[in-house]
Amino acid sequence: MSARISRFVHWHIFEPDARDRPAEAVVWRNGWVDASGAQIGVSVFGDDRAVTALSFEYDEFTSLDLLDALRDAGAAVSFQADYESYSEYVVTPLERETGLLTLRHICTSARSAAAQRCHNVAELRFALE
């Protein structure tokens, strides 16, 4: 099933019926957001009670742009850690629980027969243990 809920957000919905999956199963929704001519891939993960993770894939802007946009929207954002292949930030959106934001920049091999392609992935996880 595919649904368009506004002119900005489009969702492809999988496994919408609880009768077709075990109670402890992680449910996900995949879609995209149109933003000023750019497309942002979105995946939402959770259970019947709450969203536990959001994942975004984009290449039209930088991860620093994303951090600035979160701050502009009123979220508190603080640096957590920097690793070889990713960085982590603690994010607390207004009136929401705190989450851990992981940012990655992923590129295909420069020796690929096709042109090298790069994109950014941001994953925001809630219900941290």
Side-chain angles (χ1 to χ4, degrees), residues 90-128:
V90 175
V91 177
T92 306
L94 286 174
E95 301 178 17
R96 303 277 185 191
E97 65 182 274
T98 297
L100 182 66
L101 178 66
T102 303
L103 301 175
R104 288 182 171 80
H105 183 72
I106 301 170
C107 294
T108 59
S109 171
R111 292 177 283 161
S112 171
Q116 183 181 34
R117 296 198 42 121
C118 297
H119 65 277
N120 298 301
V121 176
E123 181 179 87
L124 182 59
R125 291 198 162 276
F126 297 102
L128 305 174

PDB file of all heavy atoms in Angstrom, residues 90-128:
ATOM      1  N   VAL A  90      23.235  13.978  20.994  1.00  0.00           N
ATOM      2  CA  VAL A  90      22.048  13.819  21.835  1.00  0.00           C
ATOM      3  C   VAL A  90      21.074  14.910  21.417  1.00  0.00           C
ATOM      4  O   VAL A  90      21.436  16.086  21.356  1.00  0.00           O
ATOM      5  CB  VAL A  90      22.398  13.937  23.332  1.00  0.00           C
ATOM      6  CG1 VAL A  90      21.142  13.890  24.183  1.00  0.00           C
ATOM      7  CG2 VAL A  90      23.353  12.818  23.730  1.00  0.00           C
ATOM      8  N   VAL A  91      19.831  14.514  21.096  1.00  0.00           N
ATOM      9  CA  VAL A  91      18.822  15.450  20.606  1.00  0.00           C
ATOM     10  C   VAL A  91      17.584  15.353  21.501  1.00  0.00           C
ATOM     11  O   VAL A  91      17.073  14.262  21.748  1.00  0.00           O
ATOM     12  CB  VAL A  91      18.423  15.128  19.142  1.00  0.00           C
ATOM     13  CG1 VAL A  91      17.320  16.049  18.664  1.00  0.00           C
ATOM     14  CG2 VAL A  91      19.637  15.221  18.234  1.00  0.00           C
ATOM     15  N   THR A  92      17.123  16.511  21.953  1.00  0.00           N
ATOM     16  CA  THR A  92      15.876  16.564  22.721  1.00  0.00           C
ATOM     17  C   THR A  92      14.934  17.544  22.027  1.00  0.00           C
ATOM     18  O   THR A  92      15.069  18.761  22.176  1.00  0.00           O
ATOM     19  CB  THR A  92      16.125  17.009  24.180  1.00  0.00           C
ATOM     20  OG1 THR A  92      17.118  16.154  24.753  1.00  0.00           O
ATOM     21  CG2 THR A  92      14.850  16.909  24.994  1.00  0.00           C
ATOM     22  N   PRO A  93      13.991  17.020  21.231  1.00  0.00           N
ATOM     23  CA  PRO A  93      13.005  17.890  20.593  1.00  0.00           C
ATOM     24  C   PRO A  93      12.077  18.505  21.649  1.00  0.00           C
ATOM     25  O   PRO A  93      11.933  17.963  22.747  1.00  0.00           O
ATOM     26  CB  PRO A  93      12.216  16.942  19.685  1.00  0.00           C
ATOM     27  CG  PRO A  93      13.064  15.716  19.563  1.00  0.00           C
ATOM     28  CD  PRO A  93      13.848  15.633  20.828  1.00  0.00           C
ATOM     29  N   LEU A  94      11.473  19.625  21.317  1.00  0.00           N
ATOM     30  CA  LEU A  94      10.533  20.264  22.239  1.00  0.00           C
ATOM     31  C   LEU A  94       9.444  19.284  22.650  1.00  0.00           C
ATOM     32  O   LEU A  94       8.823  18.649  21.803  1.00  0.00           O
ATOM     33  CB  LEU A  94       9.885  21.487  21.585  1.00  0.00           C
ATOM     34  CG  LEU A  94      10.769  22.725  21.451  1.00  0.00           C
ATOM     35  CD1 LEU A  94      10.041  23.801  20.657  1.00  0.00           C
ATOM     36  CD2 LEU A  94      11.184  23.249  22.803  1.00  0.00           C
ATOM     37  N   GLU A  95       9.237  19.151  23.939  1.00  0.00           N
ATOM     38  CA  GLU A  95       8.166  18.329  24.507  1.00  0.00           C
ATOM     39  C   GLU A  95       8.213  16.873  24.051  1.00  0.00           C
ATOM     40  O   GLU A  95       7.189  16.207  23.962  1.00  0.00           O
ATOM     41  CB  GLU A  95       6.803  18.948  24.209  1.00  0.00           C
ATOM     42  CG  GLU A  95       6.668  20.358  24.770  1.00  0.00           C
ATOM     43  CD  GLU A  95       5.331  20.984  24.433  1.00  0.00           C
ATOM     44  OE1 GLU A  95       4.395  20.273  24.053  1.00  0.00           O
ATOM     45  OE2 GLU A  95       5.241  22.211  24.570  1.00  0.00           O
ATOM     46  N   ARG A  96       9.394  16.368  23.763  1.00  0.00           N
ATOM     47  CA  ARG A  96       9.572  14.971  23.356  1.00  0.00           C
ATOM     48  C   ARG A  96      10.702  14.364  24.181  1.00  0.00           C
ATOM     49  O   ARG A  96      11.493  15.067  24.783  1.00  0.00           O
ATOM     50  CB  ARG A  96       9.943  14.853  21.871  1.00  0.00           C
ATOM     51  CG  ARG A  96       8.974  15.475  20.928  1.00  0.00           C
ATOM     52  CD  ARG A  96       7.860  14.541  20.659  1.00  0.00           C
ATOM     53  NE  ARG A  96       6.994  15.136  19.653  1.00  0.00           N
ATOM     54  CZ  ARG A  96       5.829  14.671  19.353  1.00  0.00           C
ATOM     55  NH1 ARG A  96       5.377  13.608  19.953  1.00  0.00           N
ATOM     56  NH2 ARG A  96       5.089  15.252  18.462  1.00  0.00           N
ATOM     57  N   GLU A  97      10.799  13.028  24.147  1.00  0.00           N
ATOM     58  CA  GLU A  97      11.883  12.385  24.870  1.00  0.00           C
ATOM     59  C   GLU A  97      13.199  12.541  24.121  1.00  0.00           C
ATOM     60  O   GLU A  97      13.234  12.745  22.911  1.00  0.00           O
ATOM     61  CB  GLU A  97      11.566  10.910  25.111  1.00  0.00           C
ATOM     62  CG  GLU A  97      11.483  10.079  23.839  1.00  0.00           C
ATOM     63  CD  GLU A  97      11.122   8.633  24.127  1.00  0.00           C
ATOM     64  OE1 GLU A  97      12.039   7.841  24.398  1.00  0.00           O
ATOM     65  OE2 GLU A  97       9.929   8.325  24.071  1.00  0.00           O
ATOM     66  N   THR A  98      14.287  12.434  24.849  1.00  0.00           N
ATOM     67  CA  THR A  98      15.624  12.559  24.289  1.00  0.00           C
ATOM     68  C   THR A  98      15.942  11.361  23.405  1.00  0.00           C
ATOM     69  O   THR A  98      15.532  10.244  23.688  1.00  0.00           O
ATOM     70  CB  THR A  98      16.656  12.658  25.435  1.00  0.00           C
ATOM     71  OG1 THR A  98      16.380  13.854  26.169  1.00  0.00           O
ATOM     72  CG2 THR A  98      18.076  12.706  24.921  1.00  0.00           C
ATOM     73  N   GLY A  99      16.689  11.622  22.342  1.00  0.00           N
ATOM     74  CA  GLY A  99      17.098  10.562  21.438  1.00  0.00           C
ATOM     75  C   GLY A  99      18.564  10.675  21.097  1.00  0.00           C
ATOM     76  O   GLY A  99      19.209  11.699  21.376  1.00  0.00           O
ATOM     77  N   LEU A 100      19.108   9.632  20.498  1.00  0.00           N
ATOM     78  CA  LEU A 100      20.492   9.624  20.045  1.00  0.00           C
ATOM     79  C   LEU A 100      20.496   9.695  18.522  1.00  0.00           C
ATOM     80  O   LEU A 100      19.932   8.829  17.843  1.00  0.00           O
ATOM     81  CB  LEU A 100      21.202   8.356  20.513  1.00  0.00           C
ATOM     82  CG  LEU A 100      22.678   8.264  20.135  1.00  0.00           C
ATOM     83  CD1 LEU A 100      23.484   9.347  20.865  1.00  0.00           C
ATOM     84  CD2 LEU A 100      23.232   6.884  20.460  1.00  0.00           C
ATOM     85  N   LEU A 101      21.113  10.728  17.984  1.00  0.00           N
ATOM     86  CA  LEU A 101      21.200  10.946  16.543  1.00  0.00           C
ATOM     87  C   LEU A 101      22.557  10.472  16.055  1.00  0.00           C
ATOM     88  O   LEU A 101      23.594  10.931  16.538  1.00  0.00           O
ATOM     89  CB  LEU A 101      21.014  12.429  16.217  1.00  0.00           C
ATOM     90  CG  LEU A 101      21.117  12.828  14.749  1.00  0.00           C
ATOM     91  CD1 LEU A 101      19.968  12.230  13.946  1.00  0.00           C
ATOM     92  CD2 LEU A 101      21.132  14.346  14.619  1.00  0.00           C
ATOM     93  N   THR A 102      22.561   9.538  15.112  1.00  0.00           N
ATOM     94  CA  THR A 102      23.790   9.037  14.505  1.00  0.00           C
ATOM     95  C   THR A 102      23.845   9.531  13.068  1.00  0.00           C
ATOM     96  O   THR A 102      22.883   9.349  12.310  1.00  0.00           O
ATOM     97  CB  THR A 102      23.819   7.492  14.530  1.00  0.00           C
ATOM     98  OG1 THR A 102      23.685   7.059  15.884  1.00  0.00           O
ATOM     99  CG2 THR A 102      25.110   6.962  13.958  1.00  0.00           C
ATOM    100  N   LEU A 103      24.954  10.159  12.696  1.00  0.00           N
ATOM    101  CA  LEU A 103      25.134  10.703  11.348  1.00  0.00           C
ATOM    102  C   LEU A 103      26.257   9.960  10.637  1.00  0.00           C
ATOM    103  O   LEU A 103      27.342   9.778  11.200  1.00  0.00           O
ATOM    104  CB  LEU A 103      25.479  12.191  11.418  1.00  0.00           C
ATOM    105  CG  LEU A 103      24.450  13.083  12.103  1.00  0.00           C
ATOM    106  CD1 LEU A 103      24.971  14.507  12.213  1.00  0.00           C
ATOM    107  CD2 LEU A 103      23.136  13.056  11.349  1.00  0.00           C
ATOM    108  N   ARG A 104      25.984   9.536   9.387  1.00  0.00           N
ATOM    109  CA  ARG A 104      26.980   8.842   8.572  1.00  0.00           C
ATOM    110  C   ARG A 104      27.034   9.468   7.180  1.00  0.00           C
ATOM    111  O   ARG A 104      26.009   9.880   6.646  1.00  0.00           O
ATOM    112  CB  ARG A 104      26.604   7.367   8.407  1.00  0.00           C
ATOM    113  CG  ARG A 104      26.763   6.533   9.625  1.00  0.00           C
ATOM    114  CD  ARG A 104      26.394   5.058   9.319  1.00  0.00           C
ATOM    115  NE  ARG A 104      26.735   4.195  10.406  1.00  0.00           N
ATOM    116  CZ  ARG A 104      26.003   4.035  11.512  1.00  0.00           C
ATOM    117  NH1 ARG A 104      24.884   4.706  11.645  1.00  0.00           N
ATOM    118  NH2 ARG A 104      26.395   3.228  12.471  1.00  0.00           N
ATOM    119  N   HIS A 105      28.225   9.490   6.589  1.00  0.00           N
ATOM    120  CA  HIS A 105      28.403   9.887   5.191  1.00  0.00           C
ATOM    121  C   HIS A 105      28.926   8.648   4.483  1.00  0.00           C
ATOM    122  O   HIS A 105      30.010   8.153   4.798  1.00  0.00           O
ATOM    123  CB  HIS A 105      29.380  11.054   5.076  1.00  0.00           C
ATOM    124  CG  HIS A 105      29.536  11.555   3.679  1.00  0.00           C
ATOM    125  ND1 HIS A 105      28.556  12.275   3.039  1.00  0.00           N
ATOM    126  CD2 HIS A 105      30.556  11.435   2.796  1.00  0.00           C
ATOM    127  CE1 HIS A 105      28.961  12.581   1.824  1.00  0.00           C
ATOM    128  NE2 HIS A 105      30.168  12.082   1.652  1.00  0.00           N
ATOM    129  N   ILE A 106      28.164   8.119   3.527  1.00  0.00           N
ATOM    130  CA  ILE A 106      28.479   6.844   2.890  1.00  0.00           C
ATOM    131  C   ILE A 106      28.723   7.067   1.395  1.00  0.00           C
ATOM    132  O   ILE A 106      27.912   7.715   0.726  1.00  0.00           O
ATOM    133  CB  ILE A 106      27.316   5.847   3.095  1.00  0.00           C
ATOM    134  CG1 ILE A 106      27.086   5.640   4.594  1.00  0.00           C
ATOM    135  CG2 ILE A 106      27.601   4.539   2.383  1.00  0.00           C
ATOM    136  CD1 ILE A 106      25.822   4.885   4.920  1.00  0.00           C
ATOM    137  N   CYS A 107      29.821   6.508   0.886  1.00  0.00           N
ATOM    138  CA  CYS A 107      30.147   6.631  -0.540  1.00  0.00           C
ATOM    139  C   CYS A 107      30.427   5.256  -1.128  1.00  0.00           C
ATOM    140  O   CYS A 107      30.976   4.383  -0.456  1.00  0.00           O
ATOM    141  CB  CYS A 107      31.385   7.500  -0.739  1.00  0.00           C
ATOM    142  SG  CYS A 107      31.175   9.223  -0.258  1.00  0.00           S
ATOM    143  N   THR A 108      30.054   5.094  -2.392  1.00  0.00           N
ATOM    144  CA  THR A 108      30.439   3.882  -3.105  1.00  0.00           C
ATOM    145  C   THR A 108      31.926   3.984  -3.441  1.00  0.00           C
ATOM    146  O   THR A 108      32.532   5.059  -3.342  1.00  0.00           O
ATOM    147  CB  THR A 108      29.617   3.704  -4.396  1.00  0.00           C
ATOM    148  OG1 THR A 108      29.833   4.853  -5.230  1.00  0.00           O
ATOM    149  CG2 THR A 108      28.138   3.543  -4.102  1.00  0.00           C
ATOM    150  N   SER A 109      32.515   2.911  -3.878  1.00  0.00           N
ATOM    151  CA  SER A 109      33.938   2.889  -4.198  1.00  0.00           C
ATOM    152  C   SER A 109      34.273   3.880  -5.307  1.00  0.00           C
ATOM    153  O   SER A 109      33.543   3.995  -6.300  1.00  0.00           O
ATOM    154  CB  SER A 109      34.348   1.485  -4.633  1.00  0.00           C
ATOM    155  OG  SER A 109      35.663   1.499  -5.141  1.00  0.00           O
ATOM    156  N   ALA A 110      35.385   4.565  -5.142  1.00  0.00           N
ATOM    157  CA  ALA A 110      35.849   5.495  -6.186  1.00  0.00           C
ATOM    158  C   ALA A 110      36.266   4.731  -7.436  1.00  0.00           C
ATOM    159  O   ALA A 110      36.327   5.295  -8.525  1.00  0.00           O
ATOM    160  CB  ALA A 110      37.009   6.325  -5.663  1.00  0.00           C
ATOM    161  N   ARG A 111      36.543   3.439  -7.319  1.00  0.00           N
ATOM    162  CA  ARG A 111      36.960   2.609  -8.453  1.00  0.00           C
ATOM    163  C   ARG A 111      35.778   1.923  -9.129  1.00  0.00           C
ATOM    164  O   ARG A 111      35.965   1.094 -10.009  1.00  0.00           O
ATOM    165  CB  ARG A 111      37.973   1.580  -7.991  1.00  0.00           C
ATOM    166  CG  ARG A 111      39.290   2.238  -7.575  1.00  0.00           C
ATOM    167  CD  ARG A 111      40.261   1.240  -7.042  1.00  0.00           C
ATOM    168  NE  ARG A 111      39.828   0.929  -5.676  1.00  0.00           N
ATOM    169  CZ  ARG A 111      40.182  -0.132  -5.002  1.00  0.00           C
ATOM    170  NH1 ARG A 111      40.966  -1.030  -5.544  1.00  0.00           N
ATOM    171  NH2 ARG A 111      39.767  -0.325  -3.770  1.00  0.00           N
ATOM    172  N   SER A 112      34.569   2.276  -8.736  1.00  0.00           N
ATOM    173  CA  SER A 112      33.375   1.672  -9.315  1.00  0.00           C
ATOM    174  C   SER A 112      33.274   2.011 -10.795  1.00  0.00           C
ATOM    175  O   SER A 112      33.678   3.097 -11.224  1.00  0.00           O
ATOM    176  CB  SER A 112      32.139   2.207  -8.573  1.00  0.00           C
ATOM    177  OG  SER A 112      30.967   1.805  -9.220  1.00  0.00           O
ATOM    178  N   ALA A 113      32.729   1.083 -11.575  1.00  0.00           N
ATOM    179  CA  ALA A 113      32.541   1.330 -13.009  1.00  0.00           C
ATOM    180  C   ALA A 113      31.571   2.488 -13.223  1.00  0.00           C
ATOM    181  O   ALA A 113      31.698   3.255 -14.168  1.00  0.00           O
ATOM    182  CB  ALA A 113      32.027   0.072 -13.694  1.00  0.00           C
ATOM    183  N   ALA A 114      30.606   2.602 -12.342  1.00  0.00           N
ATOM    184  CA  ALA A 114      29.695   3.749 -12.385  1.00  0.00           C
ATOM    185  C   ALA A 114      30.344   4.889 -11.592  1.00  0.00           C
ATOM    186  O   ALA A 114      31.296   4.672 -10.850  1.00  0.00           O
ATOM    187  CB  ALA A 114      28.355   3.372 -11.753  1.00  0.00           C
ATOM    188  N   ALA A 115      29.847   6.061 -11.736  1.00  0.00           N
ATOM    189  CA  ALA A 115      30.393   7.195 -10.997  1.00  0.00           C
ATOM    190  C   ALA A 115      30.228   6.975  -9.494  1.00  0.00           C
ATOM    191  O   ALA A 115      29.265   6.352  -9.045  1.00  0.00           O
ATOM    192  CB  ALA A 115      29.687   8.472 -11.417  1.00  0.00           C
ATOM    193  N   GLN A 116      31.184   7.479  -8.737  1.00  0.00           N
ATOM    194  CA  GLN A 116      31.074   7.363  -7.290  1.00  0.00           C
ATOM    195  C   GLN A 116      29.868   8.168  -6.812  1.00  0.00           C
ATOM    196  O   GLN A 116      29.630   9.279  -7.264  1.00  0.00           O
ATOM    197  CB  GLN A 116      32.334   7.890  -6.604  1.00  0.00           C
ATOM    198  CG  GLN A 116      32.279   7.719  -5.099  1.00  0.00           C
ATOM    199  CD  GLN A 116      33.519   8.252  -4.403  1.00  0.00           C
ATOM    200  OE1 GLN A 116      34.103   9.234  -4.835  1.00  0.00           O
ATOM    201  NE2 GLN A 116      33.908   7.593  -3.324  1.00  0.00           N
ATOM    202  N   ARG A 117      29.094   7.569  -5.912  1.00  0.00           N
ATOM    203  CA  ARG A 117      27.911   8.226  -5.359  1.00  0.00           C
ATOM    204  C   ARG A 117      28.030   8.270  -3.847  1.00  0.00           C
ATOM    205  O   ARG A 117      28.458   7.312  -3.230  1.00  0.00           O
ATOM    206  CB  ARG A 117      26.646   7.490  -5.764  1.00  0.00           C
ATOM    207  CG  ARG A 117      26.415   7.515  -7.269  1.00  0.00           C
ATOM    208  CD  ARG A 117      25.002   7.176  -7.607  1.00  0.00           C
ATOM    209  NE  ARG A 117      24.084   7.827  -6.696  1.00  0.00           N
ATOM    210  CZ  ARG A 117      23.136   8.672  -7.058  1.00  0.00           C
ATOM    211  NH1 ARG A 117      22.995   8.966  -8.317  1.00  0.00           N
ATOM    212  NH2 ARG A 117      22.309   9.195  -6.193  1.00  0.00           N
ATOM    213  N   CYS A 118      27.642   9.394  -3.284  1.00  0.00           N
ATOM    214  CA  CYS A 118      27.672   9.553  -1.836  1.00  0.00           C
ATOM    215  C   CYS A 118      26.302  10.010  -1.349  1.00  0.00           C
ATOM    216  O   CYS A 118      25.561  10.671  -2.082  1.00  0.00           O
ATOM    217  CB  CYS A 118      28.710  10.592  -1.423  1.00  0.00           C
ATOM    218  SG  CYS A 118      30.409  10.143  -1.849  1.00  0.00           S
ATOM    219  N   HIS A 119      25.972   9.646  -0.119  1.00  0.00           N
ATOM    220  CA  HIS A 119      24.755  10.140   0.506  1.00  0.00           C
ATOM    221  C   HIS A 119      24.959  10.150   2.017  1.00  0.00           C
ATOM    222  O   HIS A 119      25.906   9.569   2.541  1.00  0.00           O
ATOM    223  CB  HIS A 119      23.527   9.308   0.107  1.00  0.00           C
ATOM    224  CG  HIS A 119      23.566   7.901   0.592  1.00  0.00           C
ATOM    225  ND1 HIS A 119      24.237   6.904  -0.072  1.00  0.00           N
ATOM    226  CD2 HIS A 119      23.031   7.316   1.679  1.00  0.00           C
ATOM    227  CE1 HIS A 119      24.108   5.773   0.584  1.00  0.00           C
ATOM    228  NE2 HIS A 119      23.381   5.991   1.662  1.00  0.00           N
ATOM    229  N   ASN A 120      24.096  10.853   2.691  1.00  0.00           N
ATOM    230  CA  ASN A 120      24.144  10.969   4.142  1.00  0.00           C
ATOM    231  C   ASN A 120      23.000  10.162   4.743  1.00  0.00           C
ATOM    232  O   ASN A 120      21.920  10.087   4.166  1.00  0.00           O
ATOM    233  CB  ASN A 120      24.011  12.438   4.561  1.00  0.00           C
ATOM    234  CG  ASN A 120      25.160  13.263   4.030  1.00  0.00           C
ATOM    235  OD1 ASN A 120      26.304  12.985   4.322  1.00  0.00           O
ATOM    236  ND2 ASN A 120      24.854  14.261   3.212  1.00  0.00           N
ATOM    237  N   VAL A 121      23.247   9.590   5.905  1.00  0.00           N
ATOM    238  CA  VAL A 121      22.225   8.859   6.635  1.00  0.00           C
ATOM    239  C   VAL A 121      22.191   9.403   8.052  1.00  0.00           C
ATOM    240  O   VAL A 121      23.232   9.521   8.707  1.00  0.00           O
ATOM    241  CB  VAL A 121      22.513   7.342   6.659  1.00  0.00           C
ATOM    242  CG1 VAL A 121      21.487   6.615   7.516  1.00  0.00           C
ATOM    243  CG2 VAL A 121      22.533   6.777   5.251  1.00  0.00           C
ATOM    244  N   ALA A 122      21.001   9.759   8.508  1.00  0.00           N
ATOM    245  CA  ALA A 122      20.794  10.208   9.881  1.00  0.00           C
ATOM    246  C   ALA A 122      19.794   9.258  10.523  1.00  0.00           C
ATOM    247  O   ALA A 122      18.741   8.992   9.948  1.00  0.00           O
ATOM    248  CB  ALA A 122      20.260  11.628   9.902  1.00  0.00           C
ATOM    249  N   GLU A 123      20.136   8.746  11.696  1.00  0.00           N
ATOM    250  CA  GLU A 123      19.228   7.856  12.407  1.00  0.00           C
ATOM    251  C   GLU A 123      19.017   8.404  13.810  1.00  0.00           C
ATOM    252  O   GLU A 123      19.980   8.643  14.540  1.00  0.00           O
ATOM    253  CB  GLU A 123      19.808   6.450  12.482  1.00  0.00           C
ATOM    254  CG  GLU A 123      18.884   5.479  13.193  1.00  0.00           C
ATOM    255  CD  GLU A 123      19.441   4.075  13.241  1.00  0.00           C
ATOM    256  OE1 GLU A 123      20.184   3.786  14.186  1.00  0.00           O
ATOM    257  OE2 GLU A 123      19.153   3.303  12.320  1.00  0.00           O
ATOM    258  N   LEU A 124      17.756   8.619  14.165  1.00  0.00           N
ATOM    259  CA  LEU A 124      17.397   9.126  15.480  1.00  0.00           C
ATOM    260  C   LEU A 124      16.693   8.014  16.229  1.00  0.00           C
ATOM    261  O   LEU A 124      15.643   7.534  15.810  1.00  0.00           O
ATOM    262  CB  LEU A 124      16.483  10.346  15.354  1.00  0.00           C
ATOM    263  CG  LEU A 124      16.057  11.012  16.644  1.00  0.00           C
ATOM    264  CD1 LEU A 124      17.255  11.499  17.447  1.00  0.00           C
ATOM    265  CD2 LEU A 124      15.107  12.177  16.343  1.00  0.00           C
ATOM    266  N   ARG A 125      17.309   7.561  17.341  1.00  0.00           N
ATOM    267  CA  ARG A 125      16.766   6.457  18.141  1.00  0.00           C
ATOM    268  C   ARG A 125      16.233   6.978  19.462  1.00  0.00           C
ATOM    269  O   ARG A 125      16.897   7.738  20.150  1.00  0.00           O
ATOM    270  CB  ARG A 125      17.826   5.408  18.427  1.00  0.00           C
ATOM    271  CG  ARG A 125      18.253   4.644  17.231  1.00  0.00           C
ATOM    272  CD  ARG A 125      18.949   3.346  17.646  1.00  0.00           C
ATOM    273  NE  ARG A 125      18.986   2.443  16.532  1.00  0.00           N
ATOM    274  CZ  ARG A 125      17.997   1.624  16.194  1.00  0.00           C
ATOM    275  NH1 ARG A 125      16.925   1.573  16.906  1.00  0.00           N
ATOM    276  NH2 ARG A 125      18.094   0.833  15.155  1.00  0.00           N
ATOM    277  N   PHE A 126      15.009   6.524  19.789  1.00  0.00           N
ATOM    278  CA  PHE A 126      14.390   6.837  21.072  1.00  0.00           C
ATOM    279  C   PHE A 126      14.363   5.576  21.923  1.00  0.00           C
ATOM    280  O   PHE A 126      14.834   4.527  21.496  1.00  0.00           O
ATOM    281  CB  PHE A 126      12.966   7.352  20.858  1.00  0.00           C
ATOM    282  CG  PHE A 126      12.916   8.626  20.081  1.00  0.00           C
ATOM    283  CD1 PHE A 126      12.569   8.607  18.737  1.00  0.00           C
ATOM    284  CD2 PHE A 126      13.216   9.830  20.672  1.00  0.00           C
ATOM    285  CE1 PHE A 126      12.526   9.774  18.003  1.00  0.00           C
ATOM    286  CE2 PHE A 126      13.189  11.011  19.950  1.00  0.00           C
ATOM    287  CZ  PHE A 126      12.830  10.977  18.613  1.00  0.00           C
ATOM    288  N   ALA A 127      13.806   5.652  23.087  1.00  0.00           N
ATOM    289  CA  ALA A 127      13.688   4.505  23.997  1.00  0.00           C
ATOM    290  C   ALA A 127      15.056   3.889  24.226  1.00  0.00           C
ATOM    291  O   ALA A 127      15.267   2.694  24.086  1.00  0.00           O
ATOM    292  CB  ALA A 127      12.702   3.468  23.452  1.00  0.00           C
ATOM    293  N   LEU A 128      16.023   4.751  24.553  1.00  0.00           N
ATOM    294  CA  LEU A 128      17.390   4.295  24.770  1.00  0.00           C
ATOM    295  C   LEU A 128      17.477   3.529  26.080  1.00  0.00           C
ATOM    296  O   LEU A 128      16.866   3.879  27.071  1.00  0.00           O
ATOM    297  CB  LEU A 128      18.331   5.491  24.787  1.00  0.00           C
ATOM    298  CG  LEU A 128      18.264   6.390  23.556  1.00  0.00           C
ATOM    299  CD1 LEU A 128      19.117   7.605  23.735  1.00  0.00           C
ATOM    300  CD2 LEU A 128      18.683   5.610  22.319  1.00  0.00           C
TER     301      LEU A 128
END
